[in-house]
Amino acid sequence: MNYYYLINYYIIEISERLVIIVKYYSIKDVSNATGLTSYTIRYYEKIGFLPWLKRDKNGVRIFTESDIKYLECLIFFKKIGMSLDDIKEIIKEGCMIKDFKNGLNVHDIIQKRLNILDTHIQKLKREREELDKLIAASVDRRNIYKKILKSPLT
């Protein structure tokens, strides 16, 4: 298998008749696309979230569209408050779509992911309840201040 490089493209020559061209992105491109810092992306690779990540002949990381989409999933999990350990647990079996299409049993994987997500949904609901209380208290305080401003004593 031969590898050739064009600007922003990774060309893989599988055989004399089959050539695959894949657009690739630098870590800066991925950082701009996802909002993650380059440091965070390198950290995610270091802790095993991107074990398949390729490098060019100079050792520079090469990212594909699917890598960016994968990082967006990680960002989602972080946004809902998942710990890195929980995220690792969810992603450790990788993409199960191929397994499902090939008729393999993915029930246990799905159940584990559902349990983790259900835990986080409950956590988010508790946080929302707390925020609702804080908003109500803030509105009450605001109304008190408005009454004071309207009173003839001020």
Side-chain angles (χ1 to χ4, degrees), residues 9-73:
Y9 288 91
Y10 189 53
I11 301 173
I12 305 169
E13 184 181 317
I14 304 297
S15 68
E16 290 180 19
R17 295 183 150 178
L18 179 61
V19 174
I20 298 172
I21 301 174
V22 180
K23 182 160 178 49
Y24 73 87
Y25 302 88
S26 69
I27 197 166
K28 183 179 178 184
D29 296 332
V30 174
S31 178
N32 290 336
T34 63
L36 295 172
T37 65
S38 298
Y39 173 82
T40 300
I41 296 167
R42 285 190 292 273
Y43 179 71
Y44 283 174
E45 180 189 19
K46 180 180 176 182
I47 64 172
F49 282 7
L50 299 161
W52 59 83
L53 200 58
K54 304 243 184 298
R55 293 176 185 260
D56 69 11
K57 63 183 177 182
N58 298 319
V60 176
R61 291 169 183 83
I62 296 174
F63 297 86
T64 63
E65 276 296 324
S66 62
D67 294 331
I68 293 171
K69 288 180 178 151
Y70 176 79
L71 284 167
E72 288 169 347
C73 286

Side-chain angles (χ1 to χ4, degrees), residues 93-123:
E93 284 92 5
C95 182
M96 63 186 179
I97 293 171
K98 287 180 190 174
D99 293 341
F100 182 72
K101 285 181 179 177
N102 291 330
L104 297 176
N105 185 355
V106 293
H107 181 270
D108 292 342
I109 296 169
I110 292 172
Q111 191 58 54
K112 186 186 310 180
R113 291 177 182 185
L114 280 173
N115 291 342
I116 293 170
L117 285 171
D118 285 343
T119 298
H120 285 284
I121 289 168
Q122 292 306 313
K123 178 185 170 207

Side-chain angles (χ1 to χ4, degrees), residues 128-141:
R128 180 175 53 196
E129 289 171 6
E130 186 62 31
L131 283 174
D132 288 341
K133 289 176 187 176
L134 290 170
I135 289 169
S138 297
V139 168
D140 288 346
R141 178 63 50 130

